[in-house]
Amino acid sequence: MDGIHDTGGMTGYGPVPYQKDEPFFHYEWEGRTLSILTWMHLKGISWWDKSRFFRESMGNENYVNEIRNSYYTHWLSAAERILVADKIITEEERKHRVQEILEGRYTDRKPSRKFDPAQIEKAIERLHEPHSLALPGAEPSFSLGDKIKVKSMNPLGHTRCPKYVRNKIGEIVTYHGCQIYPESSSAGLGDDPRPLYTVAFSAQELWGDDGNGKDVVCVDLWEPYLISA
């Protein structure tokens, strides 16, 4: 979908702040949020494309307001709404817990069972285990050096095709094999592997005469986004 999250190629947002020796988490709840979403991924309740769709659908005003506080507010919002959408908790339960926190009445619940530390270590190892993202799928329709044009599109669901490259002409510079197609994955329709390419665009193709003639921008794009130029 098109929304405030897709700001690639745009100006006016100011410099990216840099904090020397920045901690992994600024607040304890940020680490907990990462743990919750990681657990949901390991359990198959969520996955990257699904959680991205829920973050993108939180509404432009909420997206902007919450990112001013912490990046992890987006993750927490997605986790809450996924758990409700999948009927793991009810909306009433979610609201009750939020109200407890707002009123200062919340206390940590005693876990219903203890986890074996060995299981936790095994789960962490799984997350960091190197593996190829390529999957069996269709033969690619494009070859290295081919000129392509990105389709003009306005998707209602999740997409990894940024607005600033749509309707622009580029060149295939790398082929990555077939990989999980975000549009299908985010909608819960399975991996649906499609050919994935790195496409190079000249800065002037993207931004006209204001683009630096020496600059090139490379973007990873799935084949359904592309047509022959």
Side-chain angles (χ1 to χ4, degrees):
M1 65 186 70
D2 292 338
I4 197 65
H5 62 277
D6 187 358
T7 58
M10 298 175 66
T11 58
Y13 290 91
V16 176
Y18 170 74
Q19 182 180 345
K20 187 178 181 180
D21 300 323
E22 183 175 11
F24 289 112
F25 305 109
H26 290 85
Y27 310 100
E28 182 182 353
W29 69 264
E30 293 180 335
R32 289 191 175 194
T33 297
L34 177 59
S35 296
I36 290 170
L37 204 55
T38 300
W39 175 83
M40 291 170 64
H41 284 201
L42 291 170
K43 289 293 184 180
I45 299 170
S46 183
W47 46 91
W48 288 121
D49 292 316
K50 181 177 180 179
S51 61
R52 283 176 178 138
F53 169 73
F54 274 83
R55 293 200 295 274
E56 294 164 0
S57 60
M58 67 189 296
N60 288 349
E61 184 176 356
N62 289 334
Y63 194 97
V64 172
N65 287 340
E66 294 200 18
I67 204 168
R68 290 192 179 105
N69 298 320
S70 169
Y71 173 79
Y72 285 96
T73 56
H74 294 146
W75 289 36
L76 181 59
S77 173
E80 289 181 8
R81 287 180 290 119
I82 289 171
L83 290 171
V84 171
D86 286 10
K87 302 185 185 308
I88 296 172
I89 63 173
T90 66
E91 176 62 11
E92 289 70 27
E93 288 174 321
R94 187 197 70 81
K95 287 182 177 179
H96 178 71
R97 182 63 60 84
V98 170
Q99 196 62 34
E100 283 186 321
I101 295 171
L102 292 175
E103 294 177 0
R105 297 184 290 108
Y106 172 77
T107 56
D108 281 342
R109 269 57 169 178
K110 185 177 180 180
S112 58
R113 65 188 179 93
K114 291 185 178 181
F115 285 94
D116 181 350
Q119 287 183 312
I120 298 175
E121 290 298 325
K122 187 176 181 180
I124 293 174
E125 288 177 6
R126 281 176 53 197
L127 288 173
H128 292 90
E129 185 176 318
H131 63 281
S132 173
L133 297 177
L135 298 169
E139 290 296 314
S141 299
F142 303 108
S143 302
L144 300 186
D146 283 355
K147 296 290 185 181
I148 59 84
K149 184 176 183 178
V150 182
K151 294 178 181 178
S152 179
M153 50 199 285
N154 185 31
L156 297 178
H158 176 63
T159 184
R160 300 298 284 174
C161 182
K163 286 182 292 187
Y164 76 101
V165 300
R166 296 176 196 169
N167 212 34
K168 304 296 184 179
I169 294 175
E171 178 182 331
I172 303 288
V173 293
T174 308
Y175 174 59
H176 300 283
C178 289
Q179 297 194 20
I180 295 173
Y181 186 44
E183 274 77 346
S184 299
S185 175
S186 62
L189 301 177
D191 292 344
D192 190 19
R194 305 292 185 96
L196 176 66
Y197 310 90
T198 295
V199 181
F201 300 88
S202 72
Q204 291 186 332
E205 171 66 18
L206 297 176
W207 299 295
D209 293 339
D210 293 323
N212 188 320
K214 297 180 179 180
D215 289 345
V216 174
V217 177
C218 293
V219 182
D220 289 342
L221 298 168
W222 275 263
E223 187 167 289
Y225 306 155
L226 313 175
I227 57 176
S228 296

